[in-house]
Amino acid sequence: MSDDNHPSWPALSVVLLPVLLWLLAATVSAQADESMPTKPGLSETWFVIRYDDQPVGFEQIQVDSAANGLLRCHRKTELNLNRMGQGVTVSASLWTSQTPGGMLQTFHLQRVDGSGARVERSGMRSADGRRFQVNEKVTATRRQYDVAVPADTRSPIVSLWLPSVAMASGSRATVPVFFPESSAVSDVTFHQLRNRTLRLSDHGQVDARCFEFSVQADPASATTLLTDERLHVLRQEKKFLSRQLSLEATSAENALSAANGKSLDLDVQAGVPVDRLLSVSANRQKLILDLVITEGFLPRIPDSTFQSVQVIDESTARITLTPPVVPRPDLGRGSQIVPTALPATRWMPTNDPVLLRYVAVAVSAETDPGMICQRLEAFVHSKMRRSPFSTSFLPADEVAKIWKGDCTEHAVLLATLIRIKGIPARVVSGLVHTNRLFGFVGHMWVEARVHDRWIPFDSTLGLDGVGTTHLKLSDSEMPDSMTSGVSLFLPVLELAGRARMQVVSDR
């Protein structure tokens, strides 16, 4: 469509994408240093996207501090909107590094639109700060070029910097912003409005600060940001095709459930099918699989001690799994356990007296880290009662009160008990193979640092090691800033329905 009332997709992207913080990119960056590991200091915000008060998508924004003082940011957006015959379907992800004030340094964009067209674009600011050196792949075409930019060019994730800059400016201000969607700079004009009472989804209300901004490409169409006193964005609003388009801050569960219109549990259980049954031999020395993406981008799958990944092409990754081996005690080396417990967190309260007693009972006088982890794995497996799968999380001390749960409760509790002994441990999300469901399904387990190697332990299955059945997608130390565990399952959710496994070697 190209008449005056219904702009074509290129024009529509100029109008709509700034509203949704320019709806950027797709799944997971193919570059390790571009990914967003969950660690202490990382913050996460979820939004449900509504059009005419109906949920049409979600957005997730993560922010972490890098050692060089920059912020590493990740924004993921899923949108499926149809209005008056116009469809806007976008799956997008954007990774940036930027200063706390929003000065953009690097970006990496991946986006898939409703037609299946894929765009991948990355850029780095030049040493003189006057241009971005851009690498681009659109469908099968690759090119490199420079884009001239002003020295004060800011990030397109405007919600992270605009409210504080607007407060500091005290009046109307205009700054240049680089939009990777169009690979161009456009001026953004903004100012502060009077406070407004905002009714929240939990039926409460807050006296919200209001900021309005518009993009030079569409100066007549403004977006309103409403924030709390700490300038955290609660809601964004804009008129689009005569109706209201909004993003409202909510929990991860609410955002994903509203956008998908179905249970998160069902999404996770959908899993990834495999082309044939695998042998159940515990003696298998190697399993080689091809993970094939049928639509969208191939996600980044991490290498680990017992998992190696080779990218074959833009849709296929070859994954080699070997059985983990727990290092045996080395009497000459002695124990490497840190004598004090690792710091307590909201999810892993290592100072809880009940948990301390459980560790003393399970471990007894054992001092070798590998043997301690195995004893704790067996202890949790023997005491926990199984419950239906859920993406919800309980802190370890709450799990120990009921001794009931699925793989998420197992993982959080086991990681905490291991950390009480001074052994670094983290939870891992990914896929586990099951012939019963003819493929791989979402699962969570634990990795512990034993004699300088990250070793997997799985109290849910209670195996002597995890064998070659577990495929890792992400890990987390579950910091206090993490409000839920749903984000840990996003890599699993993103594979369900758009990926399949092919067995290359099973021996």
Side-chain angles (χ1 to χ4, degrees):
M1 298 189 182
S2 58
D3 60 84
D4 293 339
N5 295 321
H6 300 91
S8 62
W9 166 249
L12 181 62
S13 69
V14 172
V15 176
L16 177 61
L17 297 185
V19 181
L20 301 177
L21 308 183
W22 281 73
L23 286 179
L24 301 173
T27 50
V28 181
S29 173
Q31 302 177 14
D33 60 353
E34 294 280 356
S35 64
M36 288 294 302
T38 303
K39 63 174 81 171
L42 182 144
S43 65
E44 178 178 80
T45 307
W46 289 79
F47 298 89
V48 60
I49 305 173
R50 290 190 174 94
Y51 182 65
D52 200 15
D53 208 32
Q54 297 298 313
V56 294
F58 73 87
E59 185 159 280
Q60 175 205 26
I61 296 179
Q62 291 181 316
V63 182
D64 195 12
S65 300
N68 57 5
L70 296 176
L71 300 179
R72 293 186 297 174
C73 309
H74 176 215
R75 184 180 70 207
K76 176 169 180 60
T77 307
E78 297 281 349
L79 176 72
N80 191 345
L81 172 64
N82 191 291
R83 170 67 176 159
M84 297 171 62
Q86 285 189 255
V88 180
T89 301
V90 178
S91 174
S93 287
L94 172 68
W95 292 262
T96 69
S97 62
Q98 58 193 66
T99 68
M103 301 299 180
L104 183 64
Q105 304 301 312
T106 66
F107 67 87
H108 185 91
L109 164 69
Q110 294 178 331
R111 190 202 73 196
V112 182
D113 64 28
S115 68
R118 301 196 294 189
V119 174
E120 186 164 11
R121 189 175 287 128
S122 60
M124 177 180 294
R125 191 187 287 261
S126 62
D128 63 8
R130 294 293 182 177
R131 66 186 187 281
F132 270 94
Q133 300 161 327
V134 179
N135 290 284
E136 176 182 274
K137 181 179 180 183
V138 178
T139 311
T141 303
R142 296 178 182 269
R143 65 182 184 130
Q144 296 180 333
Y145 54 90
D146 287 355
V147 177
V149 299
D152 59 342
T153 297
R154 284 179 163 82
S155 163
I157 311 180
V158 298
S159 62
L160 297 180
W161 57 264
L162 189 147
S164 60
V165 174
M167 288 284 291
S169 67
S171 61
R172 183 179 298 268
T174 299
V175 299
V177 174
F178 188 89
F179 292 106
E181 276 286 333
S182 57
S183 196
V185 176
S186 186
D187 283 344
V188 171
T189 300
F190 53 89
H191 63 284
Q192 186 173 4
L193 305 175
R194 289 183 178 180
N195 287 12
R196 185 177 112 192
T197 299
L198 175 65
R199 295 189 180 278
L200 304 176
S201 56
D202 62 2
H203 306 296
Q205 62 184 38
V206 64
D207 185 33
R209 296 180 183 272
C210 294
F211 304 89
E212 186 178 80
F213 75 90
S214 60
V215 181
Q216 183 183 40
D218 185 27
S221 185
T223 299
T224 301
L225 300 180
L226 294 102
T227 78
D228 61 16
E229 286 297 316
R230 296 175 297 169
L231 301 182
H232 295 161
V233 174
L234 302 174
R235 183 178 172 86
Q236 304 172 57
E237 301 172 344
K238 180 185 177 71
K239 289 291 184 181
F240 173 64
L241 296 178
S242 303
R243 302 295 176 91
Q244 181 164 272
L245 184 67
S246 67
L247 284 79
E248 185 172 320
T250 186
S251 68
E253 292 89 346
N254 288 343
L256 288 169
S257 296
N260 293 333
K262 55 186 176 180
S263 165
L264 294 180
D265 298 349
L266 293 177
D267 279 344
V268 177
Q269 292 283 28
V272 179
V274 67
D275 63 346
R276 65 178 173 85
L277 295 178
L278 296 176
S279 67
V280 295
S281 172
N283 298 319
R284 180 168 52 218
Q285 294 303 301
K286 186 179 293 186
L287 175 62
I288 304 176
L289 303 162
D290 280 351
L291 175 66
V292 182
I293 301 299
T294 56
E295 62 179 81
F297 282 89
L298 182 71
R300 175 184 174 267
I301 302 172
D303 286 306
S304 66
T305 308
F306 307 100
Q307 172 176 304
S308 63
V309 181
Q310 176 189 3
V311 176
I312 303 298
D313 56 42
E314 63 183 18
S315 299
T316 307
R318 180 156 294 173
I319 303 165
T320 301
L321 303 172
T322 54
V325 178
V326 180
R328 294 295 91 188
D330 185 344
L331 299 179
R333 175 170 48 190
S335 173
Q336 294 187 357
I337 296 178
V338 179
T340 57
L342 295 169
T345 69
R346 167 191 174 190
W347 301 101
M348 299 185 186
T350 51
N351 54 0
D352 182 79
V354 174
L355 297 180
L356 290 169
R357 287 197 297 271
Y358 283 134
V359 170
V361 170
V363 171
S364 187
E366 182 60 60
T367 60
D368 178 73
M371 294 298 294
I372 287 173
C373 293
Q374 287 183 319
R375 287 194 178 191
L376 291 171
E377 177 188 50
F379 177 77
V380 174
H381 178 70
S382 67
K383 290 185 67 68
M384 284 280 280
R385 293 173 293 137
R386 186 67 61 88
S387 67
F389 183 86
S390 169
T391 56
S392 63
F393 273 69
L394 288 175
D397 55 337
E398 295 296 322
V399 177
K401 291 178 182 178
I402 58 176
W403 285 102
K404 182 179 180 181
D406 57 27
C407 62
T408 59
E409 283 80 17
H410 271 271
V412 174
L413 179 57
L414 178 58
T416 304
L417 299 182
I418 291 173
R419 287 168 66 89
I420 285 174
K421 291 300 296 181
I423 302 170
R426 60 196 183 190
V427 299
V428 175
S429 63
L431 301 169
V432 64
H433 175 261
T434 168
N435 277 329
R436 181 174 62 85
L437 296 176
F438 305 103
F440 288 78
V441 296
H443 190 52
M444 183 167 284
W445 60 97
V446 169
E447 284 182 340
R449 188 78 173 173
V450 178
H451 299 315
D452 298 324
R453 304 179 78 189
W454 285 105
I455 308 295
F457 297 92
D458 189 344
S459 61
T460 308
L461 300 181
L463 304 176
D464 183 16
V466 300
T468 55
T469 60
H470 293 54
L471 195 162
K472 175 180 176 178
L473 296 176
S474 65
D475 60 64
S476 172
E477 295 182 1
M478 298 192 68
D480 288 336
S481 58
M482 191 175 77
T483 57
S484 80
V486 173
S487 60
L488 300 178
F489 283 97
L490 270 182
V492 178
L493 291 170
E494 290 168 349
L495 289 177
R498 69 178 195 93
R500 54 186 170 85
M501 293 281 195
Q502 296 175 344
V503 179
V504 177
S505 177
D506 175 18
R507 56 182 174 84

